[in-house]
Structure formats: structure tokens, C-alpha cells
Amino acid sequence: MSEESIKVAVRVRPFNQREKDRNAKLIIKMHGQSTFITDPRSSGEEPKQFSFDYSYWSHDGFIELPSGILESKDNSSAYASQQKVFNDLGRDVIKNAFDGFNCSLFAYGQTGSGKSYSMVGYGVNRGIIPIACDELFHQIQSTKSSSVRYEVSLSMMEIYNEQVRDLLTQDFPKGGLAVRQHPTSGNFYPQGLRIVPVGNYTDIERRISEGTQNRTIAATNMNATSSRAHTVVTIYFDQFINGTHGETKKTSAINLVDLAGKGRFQLGISSEYALLFQGSERAASTGATGDRLKESTNINKSLSTLGNVISALADISSGSKRKVVVPYRDSTLTKLLQNALGGNSKTVMIAALSPADVNYDETLSTLRFADRVKRIKNTVVVNENPLEKLIRELKEENDRLKLLIDTGKFNLQLDIQPGMSTQDIELMRRDVEEGILSQIQVNQQLLQDSKTTWDLKLKQAQSDDKNTPLLVDKKLPCLANLNEDPMLSYVICHYLTTDEITIGSRNATICLNGLSVLEHHAIIRKLDANNYQLIPAVPGAKIKVNGYNLNGSTQLKHKDRILFGANHVYVYLNVLNETNESKELPAVITWEFAQKEIAKAKGYSLGNNLTTEQEELQEKILSLLPLLSEVNAISEELNKYRTFEIVLMPISSWDGTVGKGSKVMIKMRNLLNQNAWYWDDVKFVNRSFIIKEHYQRFLDGEEEILYIAKEDDPFWEPVEDVLLGTANVFLQSLAYSLDFSDEICIVDYKGLEQGRLSINLCPCSSSGKVINEEQFVDQPEELLDKPFSFKITMRFIEINDERYNKGIRVRYKVFNELEFTETNVICRNTVCANIKQSRIITIPNMDHNWLDFFENGCIIFQVFALQEESKPDTRLFKMTTRDLKKIEQKQDSTNIIPVNHPSSISPGDSKLKSELTLLHRKYARLEQKEKRIQQLCREWENNHDYQKFYKNLSAVAFSSGTKMKIAANVANKENSMDIYIFGNEEREYVKDMEHGNAEKLKYWDEYYRKLASKQRRGSSLQRVPMKRPSSTHLDGLENHALYPSSQARSDLNQDGQQTRVNSSIAQLPNDKMPPVIRKDSRREADNDIEIAKSRTMSNPMRTDGTGKKSTLSSERNSTSCTIS
């Protein structure tokens, strides 16, 4: 007996094609036994270092030989080939098995990290498992003698949702196989698990293939997700050695354990392999944050318990904790692996690493897990005993167990805890009694087997094999299955050997069990020697061909993808008619390709040349679609009146803060009262497993599942406020100290208008007093390093849909606030209401962050509708879930992806209106500034005093202007004009306003009246209406630089939709903006001076070739300026 630490190796794979397309960066480096990982988000930090027994570099430095085998490029290359990995790890496994030790080999890592390649391999590049398997039987043949004989047996089981299923039989008992504990050794074993003798490697390969096929059938029929199931293959290797003291038996149990990941094995053994194909993704991806039923499922129990067991064993081995209870009993998986983890086993673990920066968190998690595993120490012994002694001990143990049953003394062994009820004690007593009886049966079977020769056992196993495939012409057309697990695809092939093939749940040529599969579902008819036709057996049978629903008949083509029901995906293969296949199809049809096709047909395709974010969204949608289909089918089967759909929710709408991108969410809707809920993908995945567990109990005959309390029903959810839409208010006007008021569209995630929200933004004092427009600033930078306050006022709201008249609440955040500002519940029993809620935001010192928020950011007003668990119309209960969904489909024939409705208004309307208002105000000021400069030019005609002219011109050019107050004698102030004055007049006006002299004020009132009258006659500017500009407004300003030309507007309107007047301006870069909206006022002033100087100095007299004076004029509504 000796203590031995677990041996740990890590291996990094090459970039896959997806990572190459993304130009992924390498984050892994290796040197000797050390592995280094660099955080791509913190390039300045030192790489994290880990040390292991082996660090295998398989990322690059290899070439492909003519045989297809990958080898090192040259002697200087650090590339670790498949053979090198086996030589280091696999040979020790074989040696330890022959020495009588139990051995374990863990392969750990995230999905797609290369576990499958290391353990199984691909093509001629065989992995550890097939090489070790060949080596095992090769050594058996080479060491065979009259004094030694060998016996090898195999079992294969699957653990799904804490239930054990025997995969070497098609009988799946309700609740699975019971897991019992041996009363003597304390080891756990599945009761009734079939153990089959095998005589060579071909037998092992065939048995594992058989088990894989049974697993595929079970997974499809029982709606189990293969990536959440754990597969355990056990090889029992016995050596019988004849010595001077009799026959001795040396035993080594060989296990493969495939844990929830996409890296699957097809065949293989190694010595007591606890081959843990572990998907080590972050906990957030397997847990369900915020789900009320997150503790109700056992799906993740095995993986989480495995982590706890590893941590506890590491603490024990390191001595950091004296009293640690290893929680083997907390899950079925860890019970069955107890001997491999911390028990009697020599163990090796391979940690498979992804090299790409996008997988940094998962790769770091794998390295940390491996670092803990290497601290675990197992106590190993040689399993060798005289055969006579083993037989004698089995007989003695059976006699002792029978005595316990006969006398009832086993009751003394019950671990009765204080507070246990009589019922609990009775259940414990029955469980112990069943365990003892089970062990008696096992011992009796072992005694019986000891009397049977090995050759007879092999012969019986072969005669009992009812699943030997019939010899079929491989060229016949067939339906081959597709599975999300690549190793489970093309496992089942239904050959079309008759003229008519029926498909259904019973009494059919091809029997398919599962969701939405009818008793008579589909028919495949032979048209001629090489052509077949697919027809729905009954109307309404759910069949998709190449992603689209099949409503009539269709002639099948080579590589057509067919979906029967909710989850039976097949590909039609007809090698005799390959000419009919599309040239765009891949060489091998995969599950992923079929799912992309279905997604595209539903409108979820994002096209090619996707960004990283779009690729992630597409991958998430593709992974959710099969689950969505299953859950909707279960809802119909159990008549739950619920429907589920995928929606792409803008992140800014959901979070209420400015942000780019979208997030995938699931919308659950009650078909009876139209209440809706939005779940994130994590919550939905967790709930889908609970729903499938719920449905499985129904299939197992537990009809009471239909009448459980609503709190325990996975389809029920408490009512909650639903996000109706958002209204985005842009703040550009505040950057110029101007107010903004408008009715903003409330837009949902589809871009459709759900209502309107009236908002007013205005600069104000810290006390809330509104600041007049005289405080207008020419450049936003003028606000820097000054206090600034503004007021947000919600005036009223109007909702389009009367269904949301139970109440509305609105909330928003400003800039970097952590908490939302929220209204009380409004719109009770109505769809419109006055809000009249104001809030003053005070900025003590304006900085560039706030200024950037004003110019480029917005405030997102989230509008939530209250929902009630109201009683629906009783007539609806007379219809089924399927009936209600059909009615809805007839009423709404629109696509999932929303089209552009002419009546809908884009979320950018408020920004465009804000910019348009601002531009008109700036234009009014600059127009009057131009007139003042022209007036100075006319004065130059009468008085050529250059110094005075230059002084006045400079004063006007460098002035931002001051808006005059409306004169007291103006009768209709609503029709008043905005009048600005500049230069010396501006300084005098400001001075007189400060002193408040009555005579001066009267003078300025009269001055305002005259200028306003003159401006009204000559100005081209029209006051901007708050409603959408009509074509009249556009025509009146067509030739101005602020507006696109007629040709440009014609281009913008080619889709037949009205175009905002300044939509093209908003997209121009700063260097191409019209002068009126450039930010550099100094350059603008300099240009004004240079224009005037050129007109007065350089070209005082200009002719047009006829000797006449030339007139400089604008094309429309401008004042002529003649230089004489």
C-alpha cells in the first residue's frame, strides 16, 4: 500500500478555423513543465505561471505526412504528437493494469478544447484510447502462456439527471438502475448493470458502437440533451496466474467517463480510466441566476459535486484542513467514481487548453482546476488474491448477509439521526435490506461465473447479441441521424429497402418516439429506381425539409435535411443520385448546418462576414433553437397555454443605459391573457431542463404531474412588469444651452412604435429657474469648468395598445447614475395620462465627460407596463394550446424579423429634431451676422476709412452675438422674431440692459421693432415646426447648404419613405460639415474677415466681360452686396 499523487498533464491545441477568422491572439506559452497564460485585457501584467508533470505544445510546429499523420516539423520543434502523449501517459496505464493496479485518466477542459482529439484522435491520428486498447490486447497475446490466462469484460452506462441507464440494452427501467453500496468494501455499483465478455479489440469497438447507438436513440426519444449526459465505460481486466500455491486472481477495473461535453469517444479503453470529458465553462453558463426553480433540477448536480469532491480531496492531501468530509454521496457520478478519486487508483489527468484570447476565462479556470487536482493523493494497492480465498470469502459473505436478513440484525446498522420520523426510518430500513439482498444476488452470480469457462462466457455473449446489424448494401438510400454531439451523428441509419416506408410513433417501418411525433407521421414512397418522395401522413404533421415546413409532397434530393417532430433530425443520403445535390452544400452535413438552416428559415440568419459579437449571437441562437422547439412542443403536449420565442433585445433598451449591441432573450407568453415575460438565455436553459424533467415524469406515468401547485409548475411564473419599449432623448441642445421639447416615440425591441412620451429639456439655475435663450453659447466648450443645471420634465404619455391600461411606469438614468429615477404608476384604466414630473440635474463643474454626454449621448426612458394574473375568457379553455397558436399564426403572417413599416418612426427622430432645432437657431444668428457684415460693406462705399471698417468688421466677426429681448410694444409675441446684434452694438446693448435706463430701454425696444420688421421681409428662415417637416419646408430651403439637393433627396426617398431634412447632415464627418455647424468659431470669424477683405481690397471693381459692374449675390433669399 502506497500513497501516490495524481499525475497532471496539459495540452494546447492549434487555432480552429473560427478563431483564425477572428484573428485570435495566442495567450498560452510553454517552457519545459511550465505553462504561462497571458490576460489579453491586461497586456502589462505578468503572465500567470503553472507547473505540471507534462506541458504538451501541440499548437504549431507540425507537418502532415503523406499518410496523414501529424509529426514534428523538425528536431527543433516542440510539437507533441499523439504518439508522444501515449508514450508518456498511456504506456504507464497499460503497465499498471498488468501489475494489478486501478488507474485513472482524466481529460478535462472546456467544450472544443481538444479533449476528444487527445483521447480518441481523428482518422489516422489515433488518440490514447485506441492505441492503449491495441496495446492491451497485443500484450495479452504476447504474454499468453499455460500459466496465465486473461479475461476482459465491458459495461457501458449513462448518467442523466442523476439516473443511471444501461446502454448495452434497450430496456430502460423507470427511474433508472439503482445505485447500491457494497456492505463490505463500501464501493458503489449500479444494480443490474450488464457486463459483457469481449475477446478482442473488435469486440470492444462493436460493443461501444452498440452502446452509442442505444444512447443516441434514448437521448432523442427521451428529449435528453447529450451534452448534459455522462457516459461511463468500464473494462474489467482479470489475470489468472497458476503458481506453486494455487491459482491467483489479479484484477484491474478500467473506466472511461465522458462528462457533459462535445468531445466524445467512439471507442477505447485504458486502465481504470476516469476519463472526465468535462465542459469547464464558467459557472454562469451552467447555473441559472435569478430563477426561482434553480434548485429543482439535478442536471448540473454531478458536475458541481465533482468540483466539491476535488476541492475536498486537495484540502485533505495538502493538510490545510484536518476534518474534511468528501461529498461522494451527493451525486450518482461521484459515488461511482469514488474509487478513482482519492481511492485505490493510479491517476493521470490531461487538461485540454484553448489557445485563443476569447477563451481566456475558461482556459484559466481549467488551469486552476488542474492545479488543485495535482495535490490529490490516492492510496493504491495491488488487487491480487488467491482464487480459492476469493471464492471462500464470497461464500462466507453470502452466509453472513443471509443471516442478517433472517435475524433482522441489519436494523442495528441503520444510521438513525435525531429528529427522523418513523416513515424516514422505515424507508432507510427498506433501502438497507434491498442493498443486502442485491449484494447476495451479485455474490451468487460471481460464484456461478467462477464455475463457467471463459470460452463458454464468450460464446453465450455472442449468442445473446440481438443487435448484430444485418448486412445491407451501403449504396441503398438511407436516412442518417444528426446529433448536436458529432460523435452521435450518423450512428443510426434507416435504409429504404421497400417501395413505401412509413414513419411514426407506432406500427411503422421507422418508429420514432418523442415530441410532436404522431402515430402516423410521414410516408416515403419510391418513385423510380433512384428517386423517393416524402409526404406528410396526416395534415399538421410537423416536418421540415431544408429548414422549411413541408405542407405537401416533395421529391428528396441527396443530402436533404429533414426534421420530424421537434428533435428528430436526419439527412437523406442517396449516393446513386448525387448529381441532384446542391453545389453549395458542405461535404458532410452536420447538426450545426441543419440548425443554421432552420434559423435562416425563421429569419434569424445574420449573413456572412460577421463581427465577433454577431458570431456570438448567432452561436447562442443556434444553441437555443432546439431547446425552444422542444419546450414549445412540451407546452402543446401538456396543454400549458404557453409559447416561447427568441428575441434580440438591444442592450441599451434592457439596461436603460447607452450601450451597443444586442442580447439574446426568450419571451414567454401566456396565450390566454397575453401576459409576457423576458428571460435571459441562462434562465431559459435551466428552466428547459426542469421542463423536460417534468415531462419525463409525465411519460413515466405520473399523471399527478398535471395537477401540481402552480408554484411547482415550471411553466408558471409570477406576473411582473413587462418592458413595453424605450424613448431615447438626445441632449445636443443642452451643449449649446438651449431647451428642447418634443413627443418622443416609445419603440419596442422590433423597432415598432408603442406610444409617445412628451419630454422637455431646458437649461436652468440650480433652483430650477429656466434660463433664457440669451445664454446661448456658440461653442459647447464655453460651458467647461462652470456649474451647469438643467431640468428634465415628463409631461404626458400615450400608449397605443389598450391591453396595457392596467398601469404604466417610466424610469431613467442620467449619465453615470447608479439608481433609476422612476415615476409612480400612471395610466390606470386609461392609455394616456399627464405625468408632470420634473427633476433638476446640477453639475458642479462641467467637464469633458459631461460635455461628450451632451453631444453624443442620450437619456433612455424605459416604459414598463403592469400585468395582472387576470382570469381569461372561459371560452378559450375549450381550445388547446395548439389551437390558439394556429389562430395566432393566421392573424399574424408577418416574419419574425420586423420589416420597416411606413408608419413607424425610427428611434433617431428625437435626435434629428434636436439637431434641426439647433441648426435653425444657429442659422438665424449667422444670417443676421452676415447681414451686419454686408451693412458694413455698404457703409464702406460711402466712407473708405479702412481702420474703422476693419475694427467694426473684426468686432462683428469675432462676436457670438446677443439675442435681443422681445420689445414691449410687440402685440403678438408668438410671432416675434429672434434678433441678434453684434460687435459694438452688442456691447452697448448689454451695458444698457444692465443699467436699466428707461430711455435706453425704450430706444432698444424701437430698435428691435425696426430690425424685426426688416428681418421678416428679407429673411429666408422660417420658424421650425415641432412636427415633421413637410415638403413645403424642404422646398423653401432647398438651395441652402444645410439641406441636401433635390437629387440627394431623390436618392434618399427611393424607398418611398419620408426622409428627415437633416438626416444626411447628421452623418457627415466634422471636416465636411457646413460652416454653420463647424466647431471652430475662430476659423469661421477669420473666414468672414478674409471674405470682406477680398471684396474690398483685392477686387474693388470686377466686370463680367461686358464692362458692367458685377454683383455678388446668393442664389436665393439673400441680400446683394455691390462693391464699387
Side-chain angles (χ1 to χ4, degrees):
M1 182 180 296
S2 63
E3 254 191 356
E4 187 171 296
S5 296
I6 292 180
K7 188 182 294 184
V8 177
V10 295
R11 190 181 191 190
V12 60
R13 62 165 173 79
F15 285 137
N16 58 35
Q17 189 58 49
R18 184 176 299 165
E19 291 163 347
K20 291 177 182 177
D21 294 340
R22 292 179 178 178
N23 295 319
K25 296 180 180 178
L26 180 65
I27 59 172
I28 296 294
K29 290 184 179 180
M30 291 180 175
H31 182 72
Q33 295 179 319
S34 298
T35 298
F36 304 86
I37 182 170
T38 303
D39 188 347
R41 297 162 295 194
S42 304
S43 56
E45 290 186 3
E46 287 292 322
K48 295 179 176 62
Q49 180 179 359
F50 298 87
S51 294
F52 303 104
D53 296 283
Y54 298 97
S55 288
Y56 293 121
W57 180 262
S58 299
H59 179 71
D60 55 18
F62 59 88
I63 59 172
E64 183 176 354
L65 301 179
S67 61
I69 295 177
L70 303 181
E71 284 289 352
S72 299
K73 184 184 298 183
D74 48 48
N75 293 332
S76 62
S77 173
Y79 178 75
S81 66
Q82 295 283 71
Q83 189 63 43
K84 177 174 175 54
V85 174
F86 172 76
N87 290 339
D88 290 342
L89 305 177
R91 291 200 183 279
D92 282 345
V93 168
I94 298 299
K95 179 180 181 300
N96 292 329
F98 274 88
D99 289 342
F101 290 105
N102 294 328
C103 309
S104 305
L105 180 60
F106 288 74
Y108 186 93
Q110 75 177 104
T111 299
S113 59
K115 302 182 299 292
S116 177
Y117 182 76
S118 293
M119 304 312 298
V120 181
Y122 184 77
V124 295
N125 293 283
R126 299 191 303 168
I128 295 178
I129 294 172
I131 297 175
C133 179
D134 273 352
E135 187 66 22
L136 176 67
F137 280 96
H138 178 74
Q139 290 194 26
I140 287 176
Q141 292 298 324
S142 62
T143 59
K144 185 180 293 186
S145 66
S146 59
S147 60
V148 181
R149 61 186 177 91
Y150 303 97
E151 294 181 3
V152 182
S153 303
L154 175 141
S155 68
M156 188 173 182
M157 61 182 170
E158 181 179 63
I159 304 169
Y160 181 80
N161 201 20
E162 288 298 283
Q163 294 182 1
V164 178
R165 296 200 294 260
D166 189 344
L167 295 181
L168 295 184
T169 176
Q170 294 185 358
D171 298 328
F172 299 129
K174 178 182 176 181
L177 302 180
V179 177
R180 304 293 183 189
Q181 186 175 22
H182 195 286
T184 304
S185 67
N187 293 331
F188 291 91
Y189 64 95
Q191 181 181 353
L193 182 67
R194 187 183 181 199
I195 301 175
V196 181
V198 289
N200 49 49
Y201 173 69
T202 303
D203 284 351
I204 293 179
E205 183 181 12
R206 182 169 55 84
R207 290 295 181 181
I208 291 181
S209 177
E210 173 192 335
T212 302
Q213 183 172 346
N214 290 337
R215 176 170 175 253
T216 305
I217 295 171
T220 308
N221 291 345
M222 302 180 70
N223 314 301
T225 305
S226 59
S227 61
R228 294 289 177 139
H230 319 296
T231 307
V232 180
V233 176
T234 303
I235 306 294
Y236 304 92
F237 179 42
D238 296 329
Q239 304 173 71
F240 297 88
I241 306 168
N242 288 318
T244 55
H245 300 291
E247 192 174 37
T248 302
K249 182 180 180 182
K250 191 184 291 184
T251 301
S252 178
I254 303 170
N255 296 320
L256 280 100
V257 182
D258 174 7
L259 292 185
K262 290 188 178 178
R264 305 287 181 183
F265 58 83
Q266 285 178 310
L267 55 91
I269 62 167
S270 81
S271 217
E272 227 268 300
Y273 300 161
L275 182 64
L276 304 184
F277 283 148
Q278 158 67 6
S280 66
E281 289 80 0
R282 283 165 284 186
S285 65
T286 55
T289 306
D291 190 352
R292 65 183 179 87
L293 295 177
K294 63 182 178 180
E295 299 299 334
S296 301
T297 181
N298 293 319
I299 288 294
N300 296 317
K301 190 173 183 180
S302 296
L303 294 180
S304 59
T305 304
L306 175 64
N308 295 336
V309 167
I310 295 295
S311 296
L313 292 173
D315 290 337
I316 292 173
S317 299
S318 62
S320 59
K321 295 182 180 179
R322 293 184 178 179
K323 294 183 179 180
V324 178
V325 177
V326 182
Y328 290 115
R329 294 176 174 270
D330 289 357
S331 80
T332 301
L333 178 71
T334 48
K335 284 179 182 178
L336 298 176
L337 295 182
Q338 180 176 359
N339 208 37
L341 298 169
N344 176 21
S345 173
K346 287 196 172 186
T347 304
V348 177
M349 187 190 85
I350 297 181
L353 307 179
S354 171
D357 52 349
V358 294
N359 295 319
Y360 170 78
D361 292 324
E362 291 85 352
T363 302
L364 179 61
S365 173
T366 300
L367 287 168
R368 286 174 172 165
F369 182 88
D371 193 56
R372 290 189 68 82
V373 169
K374 73 179 185 181
R375 306 175 196 173
I376 300 175
K377 294 181 180 180
N378 290 349
T379 302
V380 294
V381 295
V382 174
N383 304 312
E384 183 176 18
N385 285 290
L387 187 59
E388 291 182 0
K389 178 184 176 183
L390 291 174
I391 295 174
R392 183 177 67 252
E393 288 177 348
L394 280 175
K395 291 179 178 179
E396 291 175 354
E397 182 180 42
N398 255 11
D399 293 340
R400 182 178 60 81
L401 293 175
K402 288 178 181 179
L403 184 61
L404 284 176
I405 294 295
D406 294 339
T407 60
K409 291 184 178 180
F410 68 90
N411 290 318
L412 301 177
Q413 300 177 1
L414 300 181
D415 185 16
I416 300 176
Q417 301 294 331
M420 292 182 66
S421 64
T422 305
Q423 185 178 5
D424 292 337
I425 296 174
E426 179 61 22
L427 289 175
M428 181 183 293
R429 190 194 67 79
R430 289 182 183 176
D431 188 61
V432 172
E433 183 177 8
E434 289 176 2
I436 294 174
L437 292 174
S438 171
Q439 188 57 45
I440 292 173
Q441 293 176 359
V442 171
N443 291 345
Q444 288 176 340
Q445 184 63 44
L446 290 174
L447 289 172
Q448 182 66 31
D449 289 344
S450 66
K451 300 176 182 179
T452 308
T453 64
W454 177 246
D455 291 338
L456 182 59
K457 292 179 185 178
L458 278 176
K459 187 175 181 179
Q460 289 177 345
Q462 292 170 357
S463 62
D464 292 341
D465 187 5
K466 300 177 182 179
N467 296 312
T468 302
L470 299 175
L471 294 177
V472 198
D473 186 356
K474 300 296 183 180
K475 293 183 179 180
L476 285 176
C478 70
L479 295 179
N481 79 299
L482 296 178
N483 193 282
E484 62 176 331
D485 182 344
M487 294 300 179
L488 298 185
S489 292
Y490 296 91
V491 170
I492 303 171
C493 288
H494 298 290
Y495 288 93
L496 310 183
T497 56
T498 61
D499 292 342
E500 181 170 294
I501 297 93
T502 58
I503 301 172
S505 60
R506 64 176 68 177
N507 299 325
T509 311
I510 301 175
C511 286
L512 303 177
N513 296 315
L515 291 166
S516 300
V517 178
L518 305 179
E519 181 176 353
H520 302 290
H521 199 88
I523 299 172
I524 298 178
R525 286 200 181 102
K526 188 175 184 179
L527 298 177
D528 53 46
N530 297 325
N531 293 300
Y532 286 81
Q533 183 184 49
L534 176 64
I535 310 168
V538 294
K542 291 187 176 181
I543 305 173
K544 289 182 184 291
V545 177
N546 301 334
Y548 294 93
N549 291 325
L550 178 65
N551 296 319
S553 62
T554 184
Q555 183 174 332
L556 294 176
K557 297 180 181 179
H558 182 55
K559 293 186 179 180
D560 273 351
R561 288 72 59 203
I562 308 171
L563 172 65
F564 298 107
N567 52 0
H568 288 272
V569 185
Y570 286 86
V571 58
Y572 171 74
L573 301 176
N574 188 352
V575 294
L576 298 177
N577 202 5
E578 292 182 353
T579 55
N580 283 344
E581 73 171 274
S582 172
K583 303 301 181 184
E584 299 177 355
L585 293 176
V588 178
I589 302 297
T590 63
W591 162 273
E592 183 180 10
F593 179 84
Q595 292 302 322
K596 282 184 178 180
E597 200 169 43
I598 294 173
K600 183 178 180 180
K602 290 187 175 183
Y604 290 112
S605 176
L606 297 175
N608 299 320
N609 301 320
L610 305 180
T611 64
T612 301
E613 179 202 0
Q614 289 172 332
E615 283 190 355
E616 290 175 353
L617 285 176
Q618 181 172 267
E619 290 171 11
K620 191 169 289 187
I621 289 172
L622 292 177
S623 66
L624 290 174
L625 277 177
L627 285 177
L628 195 77
S629 177
E630 291 179 5
V631 170
N632 275 320
I634 293 174
S635 175
E636 289 185 13
E637 293 272 348
L638 300 182
N639 202 31
K640 291 295 184 178
Y641 297 106
R642 295 293 188 274
T643 183
F644 299 80
E645 63 175 314
I646 294 177
V647 300
L648 287 178
M649 181 73 68
I651 293 176
S652 57
S653 298
W654 187 252
D655 295 340
T657 55
V658 178
K660 295 181 179 180
S662 302
K663 65 185 304 181
V664 177
M665 304 201 74
I666 305 299
K667 181 180 180 181
M668 180 179 76
R669 190 160 48 86
N670 186 331
L671 294 174
L672 297 175
N673 57 22
Q674 299 304 313
N675 282 346
W677 295 262
Y678 291 102
W679 294 347
D680 61 27
D681 58 307
V682 176
K683 179 174 180 177
F684 172 72
V685 169
N686 176 77
R687 189 64 68 90
S688 69
F689 289 121
I690 304 172
I691 287 172
K692 289 196 285 185
E693 179 183 346
H694 182 88
Y695 180 64
Q696 188 59 48
R697 292 173 61 189
F698 169 75
L699 294 179
D700 290 340
E702 299 182 27
E703 293 188 2
E704 62 272 13
I705 203 73
L706 298 175
Y707 310 102
I708 59 175
K710 63 181 182 181
E711 290 80 8
D712 298 325
D713 190 344
F715 286 95
W716 181 83
E717 193 76 357
V719 291
E720 58 188 35
D721 298 349
V722 63
L723 179 63
L724 187 59
T726 57
N728 300 337
V729 178
F730 295 87
L731 315 174
Q732 194 177 27
S733 60
L734 294 178
Y736 296 88
S737 199
L738 293 173
D739 67 317
F740 175 77
S741 182
D742 196 12
E743 293 180 14
I744 311 299
C745 291
I746 301 170
V747 180
D748 65 7
Y749 66 89
K750 292 182 179 180
L752 302 179
E753 182 181 337
Q754 298 296 330
R756 288 181 173 269
L757 178 65
S758 178
I759 298 292
N760 176 262
L761 299 176
C762 61
C764 64
S765 64
S766 58
S767 61
K769 182 179 179 181
V770 177
I771 295 177
N772 295 327
E773 292 187 2
E774 288 83 350
Q775 301 297 324
F776 172 85
V777 295
D778 184 55
Q779 299 298 326
E781 288 76 10
E782 297 178 32
L783 299 177
L784 288 172
D785 302 322
K786 298 176 183 177
F788 187 86
S789 299
F790 63 96
K791 182 188 295 186
I792 304 172
T793 303
M794 288 184 282
R795 293 176 173 175
F796 70 89
I797 189 171
E798 181 179 3
I799 304 300
N800 295 343
D801 196 334
E802 292 186 0
R803 289 192 296 113
Y804 301 114
N805 64 356
K806 300 177 180 63
I808 296 290
R809 60 183 179 87
V810 184
R811 70 178 191 178
Y812 65 92
K813 288 180 183 178
V814 177
F815 193 33
N816 54 2
E817 290 181 332
L818 300 178
E819 301 294 332
F820 283 96
T821 299
E822 189 169 334
T823 66
N824 296 323
V825 176
I826 52 179
C827 290
R828 289 283 194 184
N829 301 317
T830 183
V831 292
C832 59
N834 291 322
I835 305 176
K836 296 181 180 179
Q837 176 174 309
S838 297
R839 180 184 174 207
I840 299 171
I841 307 293
T842 298
I843 306 169
N845 189 54
M846 178 71 72
D847 58 18
H848 286 282
N849 292 330
W850 270 102
L851 207 58
D852 181 69
F853 175 63
F854 282 172
E855 292 187 283
N856 303 309
C858 67
I859 300 176
I860 300 174
F861 290 82
Q862 293 180 300
V863 181
F864 290 87
L866 273 64
Q867 299 184 127
E868 296 177 355
E869 199 166 351
S870 56
K871 292 184 179 180
D873 190 336
T874 54
R875 291 175 295 180
L876 296 178
F877 286 109
K878 297 179 181 179
M879 291 184 283
T880 65
T881 302
R882 188 177 286 109
D883 294 335
L884 291 177
K885 290 174 73 173
K886 287 181 179 179
I887 292 173
E888 284 194 351
Q889 290 171 359
K890 291 180 181 179
Q891 293 175 346
D892 183 15
S893 59
T894 59
N895 203 306
I896 292 179
I897 300 300
V899 297
N900 292 325
H901 298 279
S903 60
S904 66
I905 298 179
S906 70
D909 258 5
S910 61
K911 183 177 183 181
L912 295 177
K913 291 181 179 180
S914 174
E915 290 178 349
L916 184 61
T917 303
L918 176 63
L919 289 173
H920 273 286
R921 288 174 176 173
K922 295 180 73 173
Y923 176 76
R925 179 178 57 84
L926 292 175
E927 183 188 45
Q928 294 178 48
K929 184 176 183 180
E930 180 188 15
K931 290 180 181 296
R932 178 57 181 152
I933 293 176
Q934 291 174 349
Q935 182 183 1
L936 292 175
C937 291
R938 286 192 294 271
E939 293 175 357
W940 166 262
E941 296 177 4
N942 301 323
N943 183 6
H944 293 278
D945 185 347
Y946 178 75
Q947 294 296 330
K948 180 180 178 182
F949 173 76
Y950 184 80
K951 180 180 179 181
N952 291 336
L953 185 63
S954 299
V956 173
F958 288 105
S959 170
S960 61
T962 296
K963 181 180 175 183
M964 298 184 69
K965 292 184 178 179
I966 301 175
N969 55 359
V970 175
N972 188 1
K973 294 189 177 184
E974 291 184 359
N975 295 325
S976 61
M977 298 288 294
D978 292 341
I979 302 299
Y980 295 87
I981 55 177
F982 307 87
N984 295 331
E985 287 182 336
E986 179 185 6
R987 287 192 292 271
E988 293 178 8
Y989 176 77
V990 172
K991 182 178 179 181
D992 291 342
M993 289 297 102
E994 290 176 353
H995 288 83
N997 185 287
E999 291 297 325
K1000 293 290 185 181
L1001 293 178
K1002 184 177 180 181
Y1003 164 78
W1004 288 113
D1005 284 350
E1006 182 63 21
Y1007 188 73
Y1008 169 86
R1009 188 185 63 78
K1010 290 180 179 180
L1011 288 180
S1013 178
K1014 187 176 181 180
Q1015 179 75 9
R1016 191 173 290 109
R1017 290 194 302 270
S1019 175
S1020 65
L1021 179 70
Q1022 301 294 328
R1023 181 172 292 275
V1024 183
M1026 293 311 296
K1027 294 183 179 180
R1028 184 178 305 197
S1030 65
S1031 58
T1032 305
H1033 294 122
L1034 291 174
D1035 293 340
L1037 297 172
E1038 178 177 330
N1039 293 321
H1040 194 276
L1042 283 175
Y1043 299 93
S1045 64
S1046 300
Q1047 179 62 38
R1049 286 193 287 113
S1050 175
D1051 293 340
L1052 290 172
N1053 288 327
Q1054 63 185 352
D1055 292 332
Q1057 295 188 11
Q1058 194 170 12
T1059 307
R1060 288 14 171 213
V1061 293
N1062 65 335
S1063 59
S1064 61
I1065 300 298
Q1067 299 175 1
L1068 289 175
N1070 193 52
D1071 59 340
K1072 296 182 180 180
M1073 295 285 271
V1076 94
I1077 53 175
R1078 286 184 188 150
K1079 295 186 176 181
D1080 194 341
S1081 62
R1082 181 83 184 183
R1083 185 185 307 165
E1084 180 185 293
D1086 291 341
N1087 289 339
D1088 293 338
I1089 296 176
E1090 291 301 323
I1091 292 171
K1093 287 174 67 178
S1094 66
R1095 291 176 178 177
T1096 56
M1097 302 290 292
S1098 303
N1099 195 10
M1101 180 73 74
R1102 201 170 55 176
T1103 64
D1104 58 2
T1106 62
K1108 297 181 181 180
K1109 294 179 180 180
S1110 176
T1111 301
L1112 303 176
S1113 63
S1114 62
E1115 291 189 8
R1116 191 169 186 175
N1117 293 329
S1118 61
T1119 303
S1120 298
C1121 179
T1122 303
I1123 308 297
S1124 59

